[in-house]
Amino acid sequence: MGSGQSHTAEDYCMIDCAKKGAQAVGLFGATVLLSPFVIVALPVIGAYEFGTALEEELLTGSTLIDGVIGTLFGLMASPLAPFYVFWDSMETLFYNPPPPKIVVNEAYQKQAKDRLGIDASYYNVAVIGCAGTGKSSLVNGLLGYKDRHVRAAAVGETETTTEPKGYHHPLLPTLMIWDFPGAGTQNQPANQYFEACSLGIFDALIIVSTDRLMAVDVKLARRALKYRIPVFFIRNKADLAIQSKIRKLSIDSTDETKLWWKSVIELTREVEHTFYRSLKYFGFDGSQLYIVSAWTLQEFVVSLRDHKPVSHLRMIHEKILLTRLLDQLSVKRKNEYLIDGRDTQDGKASIETNQNTLLRP
Protein backbone atom coordinates (compact mmCIF):
# COMPACT_ATOMS: atom_id res chain seq x y z
CA MET A 1 0.00 0.00 0.00
CA GLY A 2 1.36 3.40 -1.04
CA SER A 3 2.08 6.02 1.55
CA GLY A 4 -0.57 8.28 0.09
CA GLN A 5 -3.18 5.64 0.87
CA SER A 6 -2.26 5.16 4.53
CA HIS A 7 -3.71 8.36 5.99
CA THR A 8 -7.38 8.48 6.91
CA ALA A 9 -9.57 11.56 6.60
CA GLU A 10 -9.39 11.89 10.41
CA ASP A 11 -5.59 12.05 10.17
CA TYR A 12 -5.99 14.68 7.47
CA CYS A 13 -8.31 16.67 9.77
CA MET A 14 -5.76 16.57 12.58
CA ILE A 15 -2.93 17.65 10.29
CA ASP A 16 -5.05 20.48 8.86
CA CYS A 17 -6.09 21.60 12.35
CA ALA A 18 -2.46 21.53 13.51
CA LYS A 19 -1.39 23.68 10.54
CA LYS A 20 -4.15 26.21 11.14
CA GLY A 21 -3.37 26.23 14.85
CA ALA A 22 0.29 26.95 14.17
CA GLN A 23 -0.68 29.71 11.75
CA ALA A 24 -3.08 31.21 14.30
CA VAL A 25 -0.35 31.19 16.97
CA GLY A 26 2.01 32.82 14.51
CA LEU A 27 -0.55 35.50 13.66
CA PHE A 28 -1.19 36.18 17.33
CA GLY A 29 2.54 36.48 18.00
CA ALA A 30 2.98 38.81 15.06
CA THR A 31 0.05 40.91 16.28
CA VAL A 32 1.56 41.23 19.76
CA LEU A 33 4.97 42.18 18.37
CA LEU A 34 3.59 44.71 15.91
CA SER A 35 1.00 46.25 18.25
CA PRO A 36 3.31 48.95 19.69
CA PHE A 37 4.32 50.05 16.20
CA VAL A 38 0.70 50.13 15.00
CA ILE A 39 -0.43 52.11 18.05
CA VAL A 40 2.32 54.68 17.50
CA ALA A 41 1.97 54.81 13.73
CA LEU A 42 -1.79 55.26 13.40
CA PRO A 43 -1.99 58.81 14.84
CA VAL A 44 0.84 59.87 12.54
CA ILE A 45 -0.78 58.19 9.54
CA GLY A 46 -4.14 59.77 10.44
CA ALA A 47 -2.63 63.21 10.68
CA TYR A 48 -0.84 62.77 7.36
CA GLU A 49 -3.85 61.36 5.48
CA PHE A 50 -6.30 63.98 6.77
CA GLY A 51 -3.87 66.89 6.56
CA THR A 52 -2.61 66.17 3.02
CA ALA A 53 -6.02 65.49 1.45
CA LEU A 54 -6.96 67.37 -1.67
CA GLU A 55 -8.58 70.72 -1.00
CA GLU A 56 -12.05 69.54 -2.03
CA GLU A 57 -11.70 66.55 0.33
CA LEU A 58 -10.80 68.56 3.43
CA LEU A 59 -13.31 68.27 6.26
CA THR A 60 -12.98 71.81 7.58
CA GLY A 61 -11.11 73.52 4.77
CA SER A 62 -8.03 73.86 6.98
CA THR A 63 -5.06 71.54 6.55
CA LEU A 64 -3.94 72.10 10.15
CA ILE A 65 -7.33 71.41 11.72
CA ASP A 66 -7.85 68.36 9.53
CA GLY A 67 -4.42 67.08 10.57
CA VAL A 68 -5.41 67.40 14.24
CA ILE A 69 -8.69 65.56 13.56
CA GLY A 70 -6.73 62.79 11.80
CA THR A 71 -4.42 62.51 14.81
CA LEU A 72 -7.39 62.18 17.17
CA PHE A 73 -8.96 59.51 14.95
CA GLY A 74 -5.65 57.66 14.90
CA LEU A 75 -5.38 57.82 18.71
CA MET A 76 -8.89 56.41 19.13
CA ALA A 77 -8.42 53.64 16.57
CA SER A 78 -4.86 52.60 17.43
CA PRO A 79 -5.69 50.43 20.50
CA LEU A 80 -8.25 48.47 18.45
CA ALA A 81 -6.26 48.20 15.22
CA PRO A 82 -4.13 45.16 16.25
CA PHE A 83 -7.27 43.24 17.22
CA TYR A 84 -8.92 44.12 13.92
CA VAL A 85 -5.87 42.96 11.95
CA PHE A 86 -5.74 39.71 13.96
CA TRP A 87 -9.47 39.04 13.54
CA ASP A 88 -9.33 39.74 9.80
CA SER A 89 -6.40 37.33 9.46
CA MET A 90 -8.24 34.64 11.44
CA GLU A 91 -11.31 34.97 9.21
CA THR A 92 -9.12 34.56 6.14
CA LEU A 93 -7.46 31.52 7.71
CA PHE A 94 -10.58 29.64 8.78
CA TYR A 95 -13.18 30.77 6.25
CA ASN A 96 -13.31 28.46 3.24
CA PRO A 97 -15.20 30.12 0.39
CA PRO A 98 -16.05 28.06 -2.71
CA PRO A 99 -12.95 27.82 -4.91
CA PRO A 100 -12.99 29.59 -8.28
CA LYS A 101 -14.36 27.33 -10.98
CA ILE A 102 -11.94 25.67 -13.38
CA VAL A 103 -13.44 25.63 -16.87
CA VAL A 104 -12.89 22.53 -18.99
CA ASN A 105 -11.69 23.90 -22.32
CA GLU A 106 -11.29 22.18 -25.68
CA ALA A 107 -7.64 21.32 -25.00
CA TYR A 108 -8.61 19.52 -21.76
CA GLN A 109 -11.39 17.65 -23.57
CA LYS A 110 -9.01 16.57 -26.33
CA GLN A 111 -6.45 15.41 -23.77
CA ALA A 112 -9.11 13.35 -21.98
CA LYS A 113 -10.27 11.86 -25.28
CA ASP A 114 -6.73 10.94 -26.31
CA ARG A 115 -5.87 9.54 -22.88
CA LEU A 116 -9.10 7.69 -22.07
CA GLY A 117 -11.04 7.57 -25.28
CA ILE A 118 -13.85 9.36 -23.46
CA ASP A 119 -16.82 10.65 -25.43
CA ALA A 120 -18.23 13.85 -23.90
CA SER A 121 -21.59 13.33 -25.61
CA TYR A 122 -22.29 10.57 -23.04
CA TYR A 123 -22.98 11.07 -19.34
CA ASN A 124 -19.68 9.87 -17.88
CA VAL A 125 -19.47 8.77 -14.24
CA ALA A 126 -16.09 7.86 -12.69
CA VAL A 127 -15.87 5.32 -9.86
CA ILE A 128 -12.68 6.08 -7.92
CA GLY A 129 -11.10 5.58 -4.51
CA CYS A 130 -8.36 3.59 -2.80
CA ALA A 131 -7.44 0.04 -3.79
CA GLY A 132 -9.44 -2.79 -2.25
CA THR A 133 -12.61 -0.81 -1.54
CA GLY A 134 -14.78 -2.71 -4.03
CA LYS A 135 -14.86 -0.16 -6.84
CA SER A 136 -15.25 -2.77 -9.59
CA SER A 137 -18.00 -4.53 -7.64
CA LEU A 138 -19.83 -1.21 -7.32
CA VAL A 139 -19.45 -0.64 -11.07
CA ASN A 140 -21.05 -4.02 -11.69
CA GLY A 141 -23.75 -3.15 -9.18
CA LEU A 142 -24.59 0.05 -11.05
CA LEU A 143 -24.62 -1.86 -14.35
CA GLY A 144 -26.64 -4.76 -12.97
CA TYR A 145 -24.02 -7.32 -14.01
CA LYS A 146 -23.06 -10.41 -12.09
CA ASP A 147 -19.30 -10.57 -11.56
CA ARG A 148 -18.96 -13.45 -14.05
CA HIS A 149 -20.91 -11.65 -16.75
CA VAL A 150 -18.90 -11.34 -19.96
CA ARG A 151 -19.25 -7.54 -19.89
CA ALA A 152 -18.68 -7.08 -16.16
CA ALA A 153 -15.69 -5.27 -14.66
CA ALA A 154 -12.99 -7.61 -13.39
CA VAL A 155 -13.27 -8.21 -9.64
CA GLY A 156 -10.62 -9.58 -7.27
CA GLU A 157 -9.44 -9.59 -3.68
CA THR A 158 -6.59 -7.25 -4.59
CA GLU A 159 -6.46 -4.31 -7.00
CA THR A 160 -7.35 -5.81 -10.39
CA THR A 161 -8.04 -2.62 -12.35
CA THR A 162 -4.82 -1.25 -13.83
CA GLU A 163 -6.24 1.05 -16.53
CA PRO A 164 -9.41 3.17 -16.65
CA LYS A 165 -12.19 1.45 -18.55
CA GLY A 166 -15.65 2.65 -19.49
CA TYR A 167 -18.77 0.47 -19.51
CA HIS A 168 -21.95 1.28 -21.43
CA HIS A 169 -24.95 0.93 -19.18
CA PRO A 170 -27.13 -1.87 -20.58
CA LEU A 171 -30.38 -0.02 -19.77
CA LEU A 172 -29.38 3.63 -20.09
CA PRO A 173 -27.92 4.15 -23.58
CA THR A 174 -26.33 7.54 -22.89
CA LEU A 175 -24.68 6.58 -19.57
CA MET A 176 -21.07 5.38 -19.21
CA ILE A 177 -19.73 4.05 -15.90
CA TRP A 178 -15.92 4.18 -15.62
CA ASP A 179 -13.84 1.89 -13.43
CA PHE A 180 -10.52 3.41 -12.31
CA PRO A 181 -7.39 1.98 -10.66
CA GLY A 182 -6.93 2.66 -6.95
CA ALA A 183 -5.72 6.12 -5.97
CA GLY A 184 -2.72 6.75 -3.73
CA THR A 185 -0.73 3.69 -4.80
CA GLN A 186 2.81 3.55 -6.13
CA ASN A 187 1.49 3.43 -9.70
CA GLN A 188 -1.20 6.06 -9.08
CA PRO A 189 0.21 8.77 -6.74
CA ALA A 190 -2.52 10.74 -4.97
CA ASN A 191 -1.15 14.19 -5.80
CA GLN A 192 -1.20 13.42 -9.55
CA TYR A 193 -4.28 11.19 -9.71
CA PHE A 194 -6.98 13.74 -10.53
CA GLU A 195 -5.17 15.30 -13.48
CA ALA A 196 -3.53 12.06 -14.64
CA CYS A 197 -7.00 10.49 -14.91
CA SER A 198 -8.55 13.61 -16.49
CA LEU A 199 -11.32 13.52 -13.86
CA GLY A 200 -12.30 17.12 -14.57
CA ILE A 201 -14.13 15.99 -17.71
CA PHE A 202 -16.55 13.70 -15.86
CA ASP A 203 -20.16 14.47 -15.00
CA ALA A 204 -19.99 12.87 -11.53
CA LEU A 205 -17.45 11.19 -9.26
CA ILE A 206 -18.33 8.24 -7.05
CA ILE A 207 -15.67 7.94 -4.34
CA VAL A 208 -15.69 4.47 -2.78
CA SER A 209 -14.49 3.72 0.76
CA THR A 210 -15.02 0.89 3.21
CA ASP A 211 -14.63 1.21 6.98
CA ARG A 212 -12.69 4.51 6.84
CA LEU A 213 -12.81 7.64 4.73
CA MET A 214 -9.28 8.24 3.50
CA ALA A 215 -7.35 11.49 3.08
CA VAL A 216 -7.01 10.68 -0.63
CA ASP A 217 -10.81 10.58 -0.93
CA VAL A 218 -11.17 14.05 0.59
CA LYS A 219 -8.41 15.52 -1.58
CA LEU A 220 -10.04 14.16 -4.74
CA ALA A 221 -13.43 15.54 -3.68
CA ARG A 222 -11.97 18.97 -2.92
CA ARG A 223 -10.37 19.01 -6.33
CA ALA A 224 -13.71 18.08 -7.90
CA LEU A 225 -15.30 21.13 -6.24
CA LYS A 226 -13.16 23.37 -8.43
CA TYR A 227 -14.67 21.76 -11.51
CA ARG A 228 -18.21 21.87 -10.02
CA ILE A 229 -18.49 18.10 -10.38
CA PRO A 230 -21.08 16.32 -8.18
CA VAL A 231 -19.41 13.96 -5.69
CA PHE A 232 -20.95 10.86 -4.11
CA PHE A 233 -19.17 9.31 -1.13
CA ILE A 234 -19.85 5.59 -0.79
CA ARG A 235 -19.40 3.53 2.37
CA ASN A 236 -19.22 0.22 0.51
CA LYS A 237 -19.36 -3.40 1.73
CA ALA A 238 -22.18 -2.61 4.12
CA ASP A 239 -23.36 -6.22 3.81
CA LEU A 240 -20.11 -7.55 5.29
CA ALA A 241 -20.24 -5.08 8.18
CA ILE A 242 -23.88 -5.96 8.89
CA GLN A 243 -23.20 -9.71 8.78
CA SER A 244 -20.41 -9.23 11.31
CA LYS A 245 -22.72 -7.29 13.62
CA ILE A 246 -25.54 -9.82 13.24
CA ARG A 247 -23.22 -12.59 14.41
CA LYS A 248 -22.47 -10.58 17.56
CA LEU A 249 -26.11 -9.66 18.20
CA SER A 250 -27.57 -13.11 17.48
CA ILE A 251 -26.81 -14.12 21.07
CA ASP A 252 -29.68 -11.88 22.24
CA SER A 253 -32.22 -12.57 19.48
CA THR A 254 -33.12 -14.94 16.66
CA ASP A 255 -35.42 -12.53 14.78
CA GLU A 256 -33.50 -11.97 11.49
CA THR A 257 -35.34 -8.78 10.53
CA LYS A 258 -34.84 -7.26 13.96
CA LEU A 259 -31.15 -8.26 13.95
CA TRP A 260 -30.68 -6.69 10.52
CA TRP A 261 -32.23 -3.37 11.55
CA LYS A 262 -30.24 -3.25 14.78
CA SER A 263 -27.06 -3.87 12.81
CA VAL A 264 -27.94 -1.13 10.32
CA ILE A 265 -28.54 1.35 13.14
CA GLU A 266 -25.22 0.43 14.73
CA LEU A 267 -23.40 0.75 11.41
CA THR A 268 -25.03 4.13 10.76
CA ARG A 269 -23.87 5.41 14.16
CA GLU A 270 -20.32 4.28 13.43
CA VAL A 271 -20.42 6.08 10.09
CA GLU A 272 -21.68 9.24 11.78
CA HIS A 273 -18.70 9.22 14.15
CA THR A 274 -16.17 8.74 11.35
CA PHE A 275 -17.32 9.74 7.86
CA TYR A 276 -19.82 12.50 8.69
CA ARG A 277 -17.49 14.33 11.05
CA SER A 278 -14.65 14.41 8.53
CA LEU A 279 -16.93 15.43 5.67
CA LYS A 280 -18.42 18.27 7.70
CA TYR A 281 -14.96 19.56 8.66
CA PHE A 282 -13.98 19.84 4.99
CA GLY A 283 -17.23 21.51 4.01
CA PHE A 284 -19.12 18.58 2.49
CA ASP A 285 -22.76 17.78 3.14
CA GLY A 286 -23.56 14.58 5.00
CA SER A 287 -26.25 13.87 2.39
CA GLN A 288 -23.46 13.18 -0.08
CA LEU A 289 -22.61 9.98 1.81
CA TYR A 290 -24.35 6.69 1.03
CA ILE A 291 -24.10 3.39 2.88
CA VAL A 292 -24.48 0.63 0.30
CA SER A 293 -23.73 -2.95 -0.58
CA ALA A 294 -22.54 -3.47 -4.15
CA TRP A 295 -24.31 -6.84 -4.21
CA THR A 296 -27.62 -5.37 -3.06
CA LEU A 297 -27.28 -2.58 -5.62
CA GLN A 298 -26.67 -5.21 -8.28
CA GLU A 299 -29.79 -7.17 -7.27
CA PHE A 300 -31.81 -3.94 -7.24
CA VAL A 301 -30.82 -3.01 -10.82
CA VAL A 302 -31.37 -6.60 -12.03
CA SER A 303 -34.84 -6.63 -10.44
CA LEU A 304 -35.73 -3.36 -12.16
CA ARG A 305 -34.39 -4.63 -15.45
CA ASP A 306 -36.46 -7.82 -15.20
CA HIS A 307 -39.55 -5.97 -13.92
CA LYS A 308 -39.50 -7.89 -10.66
CA PRO A 309 -40.57 -6.56 -7.25
CA VAL A 310 -37.84 -5.17 -5.02
CA SER A 311 -39.72 -5.35 -1.73
CA HIS A 312 -37.72 -8.41 -0.67
CA LEU A 313 -34.40 -6.53 -0.88
CA ARG A 314 -32.92 -5.15 2.33
CA MET A 315 -31.62 -1.81 1.11
CA ILE A 316 -30.06 1.10 2.96
CA HIS A 317 -29.16 3.82 0.42
CA GLU A 318 -28.93 1.85 -2.83
CA LYS A 319 -32.11 3.22 -4.41
CA ILE A 320 -31.45 6.74 -3.13
CA LEU A 321 -27.94 6.66 -4.60
CA LEU A 322 -29.18 5.67 -8.04
CA THR A 323 -31.99 8.24 -8.02
CA ARG A 324 -29.79 11.14 -6.89
CA LEU A 325 -27.02 10.20 -9.29
CA LEU A 326 -29.38 10.50 -12.25
CA ASP A 327 -30.83 13.71 -10.80
CA GLN A 328 -27.40 15.30 -10.42
CA LEU A 329 -26.36 14.30 -13.93
CA SER A 330 -29.47 15.99 -15.27
CA VAL A 331 -28.89 19.16 -13.22
CA LYS A 332 -25.22 19.42 -14.17
CA ARG A 333 -25.84 19.08 -17.89
CA LYS A 334 -28.80 21.45 -17.73
CA ASN A 335 -26.63 24.10 -16.05
CA GLU A 336 -23.89 23.61 -18.62
CA TYR A 337 -26.36 24.06 -21.45
CA LEU A 338 -27.71 27.22 -19.82
CA ILE A 339 -24.22 28.66 -19.34
CA ASP A 340 -23.22 27.88 -22.92
CA GLY A 341 -26.42 29.46 -24.21
CA ARG A 342 -27.54 26.23 -25.89
CA ASP A 343 -30.98 24.64 -25.94
CA THR A 344 -31.37 22.76 -22.69
CA GLN A 345 -34.13 20.42 -23.84
CA ASP A 346 -32.03 17.90 -25.80
CA GLY A 347 -29.48 17.51 -23.02
CA LYS A 348 -32.15 17.33 -20.36
CA ALA A 349 -34.41 14.92 -22.23
CA SER A 350 -31.88 12.14 -22.70
CA ILE A 351 -31.05 11.76 -19.00
CA GLU A 352 -34.73 12.08 -18.02
CA THR A 353 -35.50 9.28 -20.49
CA ASN A 354 -32.70 7.26 -18.87
CA GLN A 355 -34.08 7.92 -15.41
CA ASN A 356 -37.60 6.88 -16.35
CA THR A 357 -36.29 3.76 -18.07
CA LEU A 358 -34.42 2.50 -15.02
CA LEU A 359 -36.61 3.69 -12.15
CA ARG A 360 -40.07 3.20 -13.60
CA PRO A 361 -42.45 1.24 -11.34
Side-chain angles (χ1 to χ4, degrees), residues 136-137 140-141 145-155 295 298:
S136 297
S137 294
N140 291 336
Y145 287 152
K146 301 292 184 181
D147 290 345
R148 294 184 181 179
H149 193 285
V150 66
R151 295 181 180 175
V155 175
W295 313 123
Q298 180 187 98

Side-chain angles (χ1 to χ4, degrees), residues 229-246:
I229 301 173
V231 174
F232 298 81
F233 295 95
I234 304 298
R235 197 302 186 191
N236 198 17
K237 302 185 180 181
D239 52 326
L240 298 179
I242 290 171
Q243 286 173 16
S244 176
K245 295 181 187 306
I246 286 176

